[in-house]
Amino acid sequence: MKTIMLVCAAGMSTSLLVTKMKKAAEAKGLEADIFAVSASEADSVLEQKNVDVLLLGPQVKFLKNQFQKKLASKNIPVDSINMQYYGMMNGEKVLEQALSMIG
């Protein structure tokens, strides 16, 4: 089971992307817990939940360094979602991006 956390400004715009990523995971026969939270909720969620990878929506990609520092000790990779994939709500490509970071 892979746990993929998306972080965006309010948690709204990424919810559609989460739905599409879940469909892509199902199509691959992959068990994944994919969810989105707002940037303000991210820290408390990370304290309660084990996450394999954290992806930032384009609106909050400026937080990348901050999250990388916080999560370095936990060995959780952090990146921003490819702008083109985000704009097209391409759940399959964003899922592939997340999985490639987990390795």
Side-chain angles (χ1 to χ4, degrees):
M1 170 78 92
K2 304 288 183 208
T3 304
I4 302 168
M5 180 166 135
L6 307 185
V7 177
C8 74
M12 299 306 288
S13 52
T14 45
S15 59
L16 176 63
L17 187 58
V18 166
T19 304
K20 293 191 173 209
M21 288 174 72
K22 285 180 177 177
K23 282 187 180 146
E26 276 175 37
K28 292 179 187 292
L30 186 77
E31 274 198 48
D33 177 14
I34 305 167
F35 63 98
V37 299
S38 68
S40 58
E41 297 173 290
D43 288 338
S44 63
V45 172
L46 286 164
E47 284 172 21
Q48 298 162 17
K49 201 168 174 124
N50 285 329
V51 175
D52 292 307
V53 62
L54 187 147
L55 288 173
L56 298 167
Q59 335 73 318
V60 293
K61 67 180 179 189
F62 65 91
L63 297 172
K64 184 176 173 180
N65 286 344
Q66 189 181 319
F67 277 110
Q68 282 177 323
K69 284 177 189 154
K70 280 184 207 169
L71 300 177
S73 62
K74 293 184 176 185
N75 229 5
I76 299 171
V78 178
D79 202 357
S80 48
I81 298 170
N82 177 301
M83 191 75 174
Q84 192 177 354
Y85 301 157
Y86 190 88
M88 295 169 68
M89 287 286 143
N90 190 330
E92 190 174 343
K93 288 290 187 193
V94 178
L95 179 66
E96 286 172 16
Q97 180 185 357
L99 294 175
S100 71
M101 292 166 61
I102 298 169

